[in-house]
Amino acid sequence: MGVALEDDRIDAHYQPILRLDTREIVGFEALCRMTTPSGEIIAAAHFHEATKDAHIAAELTQRMLVRVARDIRSWLARGLPLQHVGINLSAADFRGGNLQDRLCRIFGEAEVPLEHIILEVTESVYLGQRDYVVADEIKALRSKGLRVALDDFGTGYASLTHLLTVPVDIIKIDKSFIDRMVPGDAGTVIVEGLIGIAHKLGIRVVAEGIETEPQAVQLSQLGCKLGQGYLFSKAVDRTVAAAILEQHGQRLNQDKTRAGAL
């Protein structure tokens, strides 16, 4: 991983987040990708072990933040209808102690308003710290205008009671629940319950890992407005992302509701 960073083989790819009713793109999730010396592009899951090194994790986040800031600035300058980009953060990012300064500096230098950024934090990172460092830092970041998504919801430490006390703007329902949305499975009941509770708490919901049209239709019927997954698009490079954003991005104006926006 260190060599890949030195060789500039780490880059951001973008998976669209769409409105399930109109299929318009409301944002992206930025995902880390590494290009091998032979030219193969591999996902972060294949080099996850390397990111457990605090130094590597910090360098990786720094690279991603800089690339994402540059891409957002480019898209905004072109007048593309970009709303938000989600960026994944690790426990090491919070333990570094200067996360807020780094975020404000990087996006400030790129002239990217923080309202375009969503910080995606897994349950295990957010709720696994007994000293509340992560929660306190996130509260401070939210005060700066950043929004926070609780990623992979349902797979870690969180329970529904946490939604009453943990400051989040979005929950992303994990793919494992979406996969179980079949007749007779409790997964559908759980997803429906999560959507209903989140809406009443004023929290947006994104369904992750949608792979089939019946899943998308069922989620929409249950009241879920937003989703991402291979049914719509895999993570793509910045050039393709810009092209599909130009063609399918949700363009907001006075006559169009932000109901589907994050």
Side-chain angles (χ1 to χ4, degrees):
M1 173 59 69
V3 174
L5 283 164
E6 291 176 6
D7 292 347
D8 198 24
R9 291 188 282 107
I10 300 295
D11 207 352
H13 278 53
Y14 299 91
Q15 185 172 36
I17 298 172
L18 298 91
R19 285 184 56 157
L20 295 179
D21 55 353
T22 65
R23 304 296 165 92
E24 294 169 298
I25 296 173
V26 303
F28 293 108
E29 178 182 356
L31 296 165
C32 184
R33 294 291 183 264
M34 179 171 70
T35 303
T36 67
S38 64
E40 180 186 6
I41 297 176
I42 59 176
H46 296 289
F47 49 90
H48 177 70
E49 283 298 314
T51 63
K52 292 182 179 179
D53 179 291
H55 177 71
I56 292 294
E59 288 293 320
L60 196 62
T61 299
Q62 180 74 10
R63 180 68 53 85
M64 288 291 289
L65 290 174
V66 171
R67 292 291 167 84
V68 170
R70 184 183 67 187
D71 289 339
I72 293 176
R73 179 67 265 155
S74 172
W75 297 335
L76 292 176
R78 291 172 56 183
L80 298 180
L82 177 74
Q83 295 181 44
H84 308 286
V85 175
I87 301 172
N88 293 280
L89 297 178
S90 68
D93 294 320
F94 291 95
R95 287 197 293 267
N98 63 344
L99 179 59
Q100 185 175 164
D101 291 341
R102 278 204 293 161
L103 287 165
C104 291
R105 184 182 70 256
I106 290 170
F107 289 103
E109 289 176 352
E111 299 183 348
V112 171
L114 293 179
E115 65 188 38
H116 291 294
I117 308 303
I118 293 174
L119 303 179
E120 300 204 9
V121 186
T122 63
E123 294 178 10
S124 58
V125 170
Y126 201 166
L127 302 169
Q129 308 294 317
R130 293 183 181 274
D131 56 8
Y132 301 105
V133 169
V134 175
D136 288 345
E137 182 76 3
I138 285 179
K139 288 177 183 177
L141 291 167
R142 290 177 80 241
S143 73
K144 297 287 187 182
L146 290 148
R147 289 184 231 188
V148 176
L150 196 54
D151 198 13
D152 300 335
F153 189 82
T155 63
Y157 293 88
S159 67
L160 292 176
T161 56
H162 283 115
L163 297 180
L164 299 174
T165 57
V166 175
V168 298
D169 304 286
I170 302 150
I171 62 171
K172 302 188 75 174
I173 301 177
D174 188 69
K175 180 181 184 299
S176 60
F177 287 100
I178 308 305
D179 288 342
R180 293 183 58 176
M181 290 180 60
V182 295
D185 195 292
T188 301
V189 177
I190 292 172
V191 170
E192 183 176 15
L194 286 174
I195 293 169
I197 291 170
H199 284 175
K200 289 179 180 178
L201 292 174
I203 299 172
R204 297 284 190 185
V205 176
V206 177
E208 297 184 288
I210 300 174
E211 296 184 347
T212 69
E213 187 62 34
Q215 286 176 338
V217 171
Q218 189 174 9
L219 283 161
S220 187
Q221 291 173 343
L222 293 176
C224 183
K225 293 182 171 63
L226 302 167
Q228 69 184 101
Y230 284 178
L231 172 64
F232 312 116
S233 175
K234 63 179 182 179
V236 296
D237 64 33
R238 59 181 53 82
T239 302
V240 176
I244 61 176
L245 184 62
E246 184 169 25
Q247 186 174 1
H248 300 292
Q250 179 179 238
R251 298 182 183 275
L252 300 174
N253 54 48
Q254 292 180 343
D255 299 322
K256 195 159 193 175
T257 178
R258 290 187 66 102
L262 286 176

